[in-house]
């Protein structure tokens, strides 16, 4: 997996100050994708997990980490994304994890593979669904289009029913 981009401090990709990691590679090809270059799995630089974790843990202002892309949860990326989250949590368990995905929650659950299941279990908030240009709404918080949901994943998994986060 390659790294398409990294913000060391952001307040527009989730609640609180967050580091944002953009992974390379995305199969969705949404119309008017806001990050077209990151659709290419070979775009960007080496994903150096150790270096990224060190940068994040050195910054005491951060409340969490947001995974974006590209597509963090496609079959090509999900195992490495899971490994990264697990290593990060070992170093600093207080950080909460938000993740953008072009898949819906229901599509991810229907995959029934252990890696995806474990990845979902390690994410606190999932912003799901592809970017749909006809549903674009510039004033939406943390989302590009109205079809996307900000899902409280911990509660959703516990209750087996989608619970959206009020932001
Ligand atoms: S999911 Fe995101 S990165 Fe992928 S094509 Fe859609 S807008 Fe672009």
């Amino acid at each position: 997996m390659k790294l398409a981009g990294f913000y060391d401090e952001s307040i527009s990709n989730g609640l609180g100050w967050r580091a944002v990691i953009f992974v390379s590679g995305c199969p969705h090809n949404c119309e008017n994708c806001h990050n077209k270059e990151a659709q290419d799995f070979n775009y960007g630089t080496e994903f150096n997990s150790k270096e990224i974790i060190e940068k994040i843990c050195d910054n005491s202002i951060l409340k969490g980490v947001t995974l974006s892309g590209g597509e963090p949860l496609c079959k090509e990326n999900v195992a490495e994304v899971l490994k990264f989250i697990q290593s990060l949590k070992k170093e600093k368990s207080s950080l909460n994890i938000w993740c953008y995905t072009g898949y819906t929650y229901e599509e991810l659950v229907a995959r029934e593979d252990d890696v995806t299941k474990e990845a979902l279990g390690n994410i606190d908030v999932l912003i799901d669904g592809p970017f749909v240009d006809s549903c674009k709404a510039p004033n939406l918080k943390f989302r590009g289009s109205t079809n996307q949901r900000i899902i409280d994943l911990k509660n959703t998994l516990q209750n087996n029913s989608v619970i959206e986060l009020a932001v």
Side-chain angles (χ1 to χ4, degrees):
M1 187 172 76
K2 293 274 191 78
L3 178 71
F6 179 75
Y7 295 161
D8 49 8
E9 288 175 5
S10 164
I11 49 161
S12 50
N13 291 273
L15 290 171
W17 284 102
R18 325 184 60 77
V20 189
I21 293 161
F22 299 86
V23 304
S24 298
C26 178
H28 301 298
N29 198 18
C30 305
E31 188 188 347
N32 289 329
C33 165
H34 50 82
N35 214 355
K36 194 120 188 126
E37 65 279 6
Q39 287 184 21
D40 179 355
F41 284 91
N42 293 311
Y43 176 78
T45 55
E46 181 203 354
F47 190 91
N48 188 327
S49 183
K50 192 169 174 276
E51 207 173 88
I52 298 169
I53 290 171
E54 271 171 20
K55 263 194 216 169
I56 293 170
C57 291
D58 280 351
N59 189 344
S60 59
I61 200 177
L62 297 177
K63 294 283 174 272
V65 173
T66 298
L67 293 150
S68 186
E71 172 56 80
L73 300 182
C74 62
K75 288 179 180 158
E76 294 85 347
N77 288 341
V78 65
E80 201 167 340
V81 164
L82 170 61
K83 217 166 114 194
F84 170 78
I85 298 172
Q86 288 171 327
S87 306
L88 176 69
K89 285 189 166 176
K90 244 184 228 164
E91 293 300 318
K92 201 166 185 182
S93 60
S94 61
L95 292 167
N96 64 67
I97 310 292
W98 286 41
C99 181
Y100 284 85
T101 178
Y103 299 102
T104 62
Y105 166 77
E106 290 80 2
E107 285 170 335
L108 291 168
V109 169
R111 266 192 207 167
E112 286 186 341
D113 78 275
D114 290 345
V115 178
T116 301
K117 206 171 162 190
E118 210 175 336
L120 292 177
N122 277 276
I123 293 167
D124 298 289
V125 175
L126 187 77
I127 301 170
D128 82 330
F131 170 67
V132 178
D133 197 52
S134 58
C135 299
K136 183 164 77 177
N139 296 329
L140 281 176
K141 223 170 175 184
F142 308 135
R143 295 168 290 163
S145 56
T146 53
N147 61 298
Q148 295 169 316
R149 300 171 292 186
I150 302 175
I151 298 175
D152 177 341
L153 198 48
K154 296 270 174 240
N155 276 327
T156 293
L157 291 170
Q158 260 172 26
N159 291 285
N160 209 16
S161 165
V162 171
I163 297 172
E164 292 186 52
L165 196 72
V167 291

